[in-house]
Amino acid sequence: MDDRLSESYGIDRRSFLCASAAGAATLALGLWRLHPASAAATAPAVSAPVLSYDDWRDVYREQAAGASTRWSIHSAWRDDVLMLQQQRGQPLMYMAPQDAEARGIRDGDRARAFNDLGAFIAMVKVAPSVRPGQLVVYHAWENYQFVDGKGFQSMIPTPLNPVELAGGQFHLRPMTICMQPSHTDRDTRVEVMSL
Amino acid sequence: MAEVKRQLAMVLDLNKCIGCQTCTIACKRLWTRDEGMDYMWWNSVNTKPGRGTPRDYEKMGGGFRGGVAVPGKLPTRRDLGDAWKFNHEEVFYGGKADRVHLKIVGEEPDWGPNWDEDQGAGEYPNAYYFYLPRICNHCTNPACVESCPRKAIVKREEDGIVLIDEDRCRGYRFCMEACPYKKIYFNHARKVAQKCIFCFPRIEQGVSPACARMCPGRLRFVGYRDDPEGPIAKLVDKWKVGLPLHPDFGTEPNVFYVPPLAPPRFDENGDIDESKPRIPNEYLVSLFGPRVIEVLEILKTEMAKARAGQKSELMDLLIVYRWKEMFGGFDRDPATIEWTTA
């Protein structure tokens, strides 16, 4: 897959590989959508097509929403000891009390959020201001703050913007930090289970 | 009751606080980085409704009722949220890749200095909360001063700042039981009590306290209570929109709050419902006393005047068009000070 991309797009293989494993999986999926013809020959092993959004809605009942942090500037200071002490020291997902109760989750429990694309483990904060059916994950937690390095981004289905693969332009090029979505808008549905 | 010549005070406009913790970090980085101070947060910002820091401090007693001292409970390090350590070294340099992740070292906490942030109360879509920054209130009737058998705590005559003399202190901790706001901390390494000093070394150089100066929300006013041109007299005595927190604790605090207006409620159809307030009146009264309802009306009236294009001195004061005017004369830039070692 890497060689094919290098040929087609003339991009630097090193910077491409800097993306996290999770980001690469998302990238592969996205590219598969863009190039169905070559996918058959060289696509990574995906055992079944990704469910459509409508199918997802029944299976994955929480709509994930990203939010911008006020405890950091993106991921800068996201792992700062003083700021972590002003939260709970670890990645959090905010759930409505009804949703948490229905899943047997109490405030402070760890839970796994998952869908077809990936899963991550985080502590749950039960908050009445969260809309039932919504899961809020503030953005920019570093992957190394999650168990197994599997962060929130691994579940976001938004494919890579192909503009990021354009070669030869300073302002349009693949960059390490641009290979992964940091928030989700409305495209990610997950289910959450108590650990 | 301590007699002072002048009293420094602070007014915090809770309508502007976004809970960013800049004040908390400013104070922490400036004052509480030494041995034994790791768990101290002389400035703390908590979400209300919420249990606060230390956990459930409002039920720990202290202060006065009917002029008589109320017995108080000593807050523990755990109640205050402890001071977690993390395994950055192991994650960054341990060579263990994804087999290790950043986490708190040692026992899993069930409380922190701001554990219940953004939870609040109510039911969607009418859930509510606001942020409440707190420091030592440098009270006019300080329970801590009265409680110390060694008279190690004094209230300065020249400006009303309450200070612990760390040379006289023997670490009895009666002051920690006596303070109803639980804003005194014990330094386990040095065996003395410590607390907010109202940045008196800065004050003496004409610089406002760090928590106030660093606040990006421009919500913390500083000044002498008796200065008629300063923001304190205008907000607390002239407009009377600055209220003490828990006047029922009996210590006459000198940190005042402009209470928070709330967004409107929504009814079942999603329409705006102004028949009831979003933050229940009883809750605000329990924090700030019965005048809080009247104060919210004053705020609304003046906001309406400003919207209609009329002049409102109160809105001009609270909007803070000119940042330096917030500090009642303590507007000097600390970078202009040349500190010398004595």
Side-chain angles (χ1 to χ4, degrees):
Chain A
M1 179 189 79
D2 295 328
D3 290 335
R4 177 176 64 81
L5 280 169
S6 299
E7 279 163 28
S8 321
Y9 299 104
I11 60 169
D12 176 16
R13 189 165 180 271
R14 252 195 318 279
S15 65
F16 182 85
L17 288 173
C18 283
S20 70
T26 311
L27 167 64
L29 225 42
L31 287 172
W32 180 60
R33 288 206 188 111
L34 290 172
H35 298 278
S38 45
T42 55
V46 175
S47 55
V50 174
L51 294 175
S52 74
Y53 188 83
D54 289 329
D55 293 332
W56 270 28
R57 212 200 308 261
D58 300 325
V59 176
Y60 302 118
R61 290 173 296 156
E62 295 280 329
Q63 178 156 317
S68 289
T69 67
R70 64 181 186 278
W71 309 275
S72 66
I73 295 178
H74 299 293
S75 61
W77 303 297
R78 204 65 168 110
D79 64 347
D80 176 80
V81 169
L82 294 183
M83 292 313 292
L84 284 174
Q85 285 183 59
Q86 292 300 324
Q87 289 195 279
R88 293 187 179 182
Q90 56 196 291
L92 294 173
M93 39 189 172
Y94 292 51
M95 282 183 92
Q98 304 93 311
D99 293 353
E101 206 182 299
R103 292 163 175 76
I105 299 173
R106 288 161 314 172
D107 182 55
D109 283 353
R110 284 222 177 73
R112 172 181 277 112
F114 62 93
N115 62 18
D116 283 356
L117 297 177
F120 73 94
I121 293 171
M123 180 180 275
V124 172
K125 179 174 275 217
V126 177
S129 53
V130 177
R131 180 179 177 159
Q134 184 184 47
L135 186 80
V136 179
V137 185
Y138 278 89
H139 86 306
W141 295 105
E142 297 270 21
N143 282 342
Y144 60 74
Q145 291 178 281
F146 291 87
V147 173
D148 294 336
K150 288 188 161 53
F152 168 53
Q153 295 141 327
S154 52
M155 307 183 316
I156 300 174
T158 305
L160 191 75
N161 186 343
V163 162
E164 297 200 18
L165 299 174
Q169 325 272 345
F170 177 78
H171 63 297
L172 296 174
R173 61 197 163 100
M175 283 200 286
T176 321
I177 61 170
C178 292
M179 291 294 225
Q180 35 200 344
S182 84
H183 277 261
T184 176
D185 183 10
R186 274 153 288 191
D187 50 355
T188 306
R189 294 195 74 90
V190 302
E191 187 48 77
V192 181
M193 274 176 52
S194 181
L195 276 185
Chain B
M1 181 111 41
E3 287 300 321
V4 296
K5 294 207 168 73
R6 303 193 78 179
Q7 176 69 54
L8 277 172
M10 223 185 250
V11 176
L12 284 75
D13 183 356
L14 298 181
N15 290 284
K16 293 160 89 173
C17 184
I18 58 169
C20 68
Q21 307 287 352
T22 302
C23 52
T24 303
I25 302 296
C27 175
K28 181 80 183 153
R29 300 279 306 160
L30 195 50
W31 299 120
T32 60
R33 298 164 67 186
D34 290 340
E35 200 195 14
M37 299 175 109
D38 57 347
Y39 76 105
M40 297 186 189
W41 300 92
W42 292 353
N43 181 101
S44 54
V45 184
N46 285 107
T47 300
K48 300 297 287 177
R51 295 166 78 180
T53 295
R55 178 166 40 182
D56 300 323
Y57 76 91
E58 287 156 301
K59 304 193 187 112
M60 283 188 183
F64 303 99
R65 192 172 299 124
V68 176
V70 175
K73 207 176 114 176
L74 204 57
T76 65
R77 198 185 150 104
R78 279 194 83 115
D79 291 333
L80 282 156
D82 210 337
W84 310 323
K85 290 192 172 46
F86 292 81
N87 60 340
H88 286 82
E89 285 288 316
E90 190 189 11
V91 169
F92 294 157
Y93 305 114
K96 297 178 189 169
D98 290 341
R99 293 190 305 280
V100 75
H101 66 280
L102 191 73
K103 57 183 183 204
I104 294 167
V105 169
E107 209 188 315
E108 287 259 357
D110 66 347
W111 194 249
N114 192 21
W115 192 261
D116 55 0
E117 181 184 46
D118 291 355
Q119 293 183 299
E123 252 185 53
Y124 184 87
N126 294 316
Y128 59 93
Y129 56 84
F130 57 93
Y131 302 111
L132 184 69
R134 297 198 303 119
I135 56 172
C136 164
N137 294 312
H138 298 274
C139 302
T140 290
N141 187 23
C144 58
V145 171
E146 207 182 278
S147 71
C148 182
R150 287 183 55 82
K151 301 215 181 334
I153 311 187
V154 289
K155 189 170 169 67
R156 298 203 322 184
E157 230 190 18
E158 66 266 37
D159 51 21
I161 296 178
V162 176
L163 291 177
I164 299 173
D165 180 342
E166 293 185 15
D167 294 326
R168 275 201 72 74
C169 177
R170 291 290 178 270
Y172 299 149
R173 289 175 270 184
F174 294 121
C175 58
M176 290 173 65
E177 293 178 354
C179 176
Y181 300 93
K182 297 295 177 262
K183 268 298 179 185
I184 306 184
Y185 305 81
F186 188 63
N187 186 322
H188 292 272
R190 297 193 37 225
K191 308 274 190 279
V192 292
Q194 294 177 315
K195 68 173 195 62
C196 160
I197 56 175
F198 212 78
C199 283
F200 76 85
R202 290 164 64 105
I203 289 283
E204 288 169 1
Q205 302 293 328
V207 180
S208 87
C211 55
R213 192 178 165 93
M214 296 295 292
C215 173
R218 301 186 172 200
L219 65 102
R220 300 176 80 133
F221 301 86
V222 176
Y224 287 112
R225 180 86 184 259
D226 61 61
D227 174 7
E229 296 312 308
I232 310 296
K234 290 194 177 142
L235 291 170
V236 176
D237 297 311
K238 178 176 175 187
W239 284 94
K240 300 192 180 15
V241 296
L243 300 172
L245 174 67
H246 281 302
D248 47 303
F249 287 171
T251 60
E252 295 178 56
N254 286 299
V255 173
F256 302 92
Y257 296 90
V258 178
L261 291 162
R265 289 177 66 89
F266 293 98
D267 65 20
E268 325 75 59
N269 303 319
D271 296 317
I272 286 179
D273 168 18
E274 297 202 289
S275 66
K276 276 196 300 176
R278 181 116 159 216
I279 304 176
N281 286 340
E282 317 80 67
Y283 182 66
L284 290 175
V285 170
S286 75
L287 287 178
F288 300 111
R291 274 208 64 235
V292 68
I293 310 303
E294 180 194 329
V295 168
L296 292 176
E297 289 307 311
I298 296 172
L299 292 173
K300 285 187 207 153
T301 304
E302 292 300 309
M303 279 170 73
K305 271 168 70 178
R307 274 202 197 102
Q310 297 163 33
K311 171 129 178 73
S312 165
E313 189 202 27
L314 181 61
M315 286 299 114
D316 287 349
L317 277 170
L318 291 176
I319 288 171
V320 187
Y321 289 107
R322 283 170 292 278
W323 174 67
K324 286 199 158 183
E325 291 175 8
M326 289 193 76
F327 302 120
F330 293 95
D331 55 8
R332 182 176 178 191
D333 181 347
T336 62
I337 301 173
E338 283 188 34
W339 297 98
T340 56
T341 46

